[in-house]
Amino acid sequence: FFFSPSAMTHRRQLWPALVAVLLLLGCHDTAAAKKKKKKVPPSAPPAPKAEFRLSSPSFGNGGEFPSDNRGDEDNMNPALAWEGAPKNTQSFVLLVDSGADDGADAAKATHWVVYDIPKEVSELRDELSGSGASDVGRLGMKEDAGQAPVVVDPMGSIDGWVDPEIENMQNMIHGALDASFEERNRAKEGMTSFGSTYYQGPSADGSMCTFKLYALSTRLELPRGASREAVVAAMKGKILGRATLKAKV
C-alpha cells in the first residue's frame, strides 16, 4: 500500500488525541467502579463480658459482717448469690477465711469450705450450714426432693397425729429421690480450722472475713471432709474465674 506524506502526517496528529480519549475512558471506568463498591459499615464493638460477681443481701463488699452470722451468735452462714460465671463452668468452690485486716496470710482461720457446687446453682440460702447441721448436700436438687411432701393425707392430721402408712410412704419416696441424686454429683463440705465440716462463723473483732468463689472447668470429686489444702491443690489448672466478697467482723 502507498501512503502519501500528507496522510502519514495526518495520522501522527491523530495519535495524541486517541491516547487522550483512551485515558479519559479508563479514568471514567475506574471512578465508576469505585462508586459501585458498597461501603461496609464499621463492625459493632464486641459486647463486654459479664463480670463474675459475688454478693450478699446481708452486707455489702467491705461492709460490716452480720452479727447473726458470727460464731459467737447464731453461727449460721449468710446468704450469698453470684452472677456472670465464666463460659464452660462445671462447678464452683467456696472458701471462707478470716484474718488480720492488713491482708497478711498468717494466722488465717478457715470458716467454711464447699466444693463440687453444681454449675446450675447461683446462690446459697442463709442458714444452709452451721451449728452442727447442713443442707449443702441438697444444692442443685429439686425443692421437693425430701423437703416438700409428695404424698398428702386427704384426712389431714388430727391433733398432730399423722397416719403411719402415709408417713412411711412419704419417707420412702423422699429416700428414693435422694438416692437417685448420685453422691459424686452432690456438693460437699471440707474441714474448717475448727475441726468440723459445717460453717463456723468468725468471732474475732476487727478481723476481715473473705468469701472467695471459684468457677472451675470440672468437678473436683474429692471425698467429703477434704482439707482446705487438698481442695486448693485439686483446683490448680481448673480455675476459670474468681469472685471475692469481704466483710469486717
Side-chain angles (χ1 to χ4, degrees):
F1 298 95
F2 174 76
F3 294 98
S4 66
S6 60
M8 292 295 292
T9 302
H10 181 67
R11 285 176 178 272
R12 290 194 191 99
Q13 292 174 346
L14 288 176
W15 274 112
L18 181 61
V19 170
V21 170
L22 291 173
L23 288 174
L24 285 174
L25 289 174
C27 291
H28 176 74
D29 291 343
T30 302
K34 287 182 179 179
K35 287 182 180 179
K36 287 181 180 179
K37 287 184 179 180
K38 292 183 179 180
K39 291 184 179 180
V40 180
S43 58
K49 292 183 179 179
E51 180 186 5
F52 186 31
R53 195 170 69 92
L54 177 64
S55 62
S56 173
S58 302
F59 61 93
N61 190 29
E64 185 177 350
F65 191 83
S67 59
D68 289 346
N69 304 119
R70 291 173 57 112
D72 50 4
E73 293 292 340
D74 291 350
N75 196 28
M76 301 294 286
N77 72 279
L80 299 170
W82 56 90
E83 59 184 359
K87 186 180 179 181
N88 298 325
T89 296
Q90 296 300 311
S91 71
F92 298 97
V93 169
L94 176 69
L95 301 178
V96 182
D97 304 306
S98 74
D101 196 7
D102 57 8
D105 289 334
K108 252 188 180 179
T110 298
H111 299 275
W112 204 17
V113 178
V114 189
Y115 47 97
D116 282 350
I117 300 173
K119 62 181 180 180
E120 297 83 9
V121 175
S122 60
E123 62 181 357
L124 303 180
R125 64 172 174 81
D126 61 336
E127 301 184 0
L128 182 69
S129 178
S131 297
S134 174
D135 272 339
V136 164
R138 294 186 180 278
L139 287 174
M141 298 178 69
K142 292 182 179 180
E143 293 181 358
D144 62 355
Q147 297 181 20
V150 177
V151 180
V152 179
D153 185 355
M155 299 300 293
S157 61
I158 302 175
D159 296 331
W161 181 85
V162 179
D163 187 334
E165 291 185 6
I166 296 295
E167 185 176 15
N168 289 337
M169 190 176 295
Q170 289 176 336
N171 293 336
M172 181 180 66
I173 293 176
H174 293 167
L177 287 170
D178 284 353
S180 67
F181 196 71
E182 295 182 20
E183 180 70 16
R184 67 184 185 88
N185 292 330
R186 293 178 184 246
K188 307 168 187 70
E189 289 170 293
M191 292 298 295
T192 69
S193 298
F194 306 90
S196 73
T197 58
Y198 307 115
Y199 169 87
Q200 175 67 42
S203 55
D205 291 336
S207 61
M208 182 68 75
C209 187
T210 304
F211 298 75
K212 293 179 182 178
L213 183 71
Y214 297 86
L216 305 184
S217 59
T218 185
R219 302 177 67 84
L220 299 182
E221 296 191 4
L222 292 171
R224 292 179 183 275
S227 67
R228 185 187 191 281
E229 292 75 18
V231 172
V232 171
M235 286 196 298
K236 288 183 178 179
K238 304 178 180 72
I239 299 174
L240 299 177
R242 187 184 78 174
T244 304
L245 180 65
K246 295 184 177 183
K248 192 167 185 178
V249 181

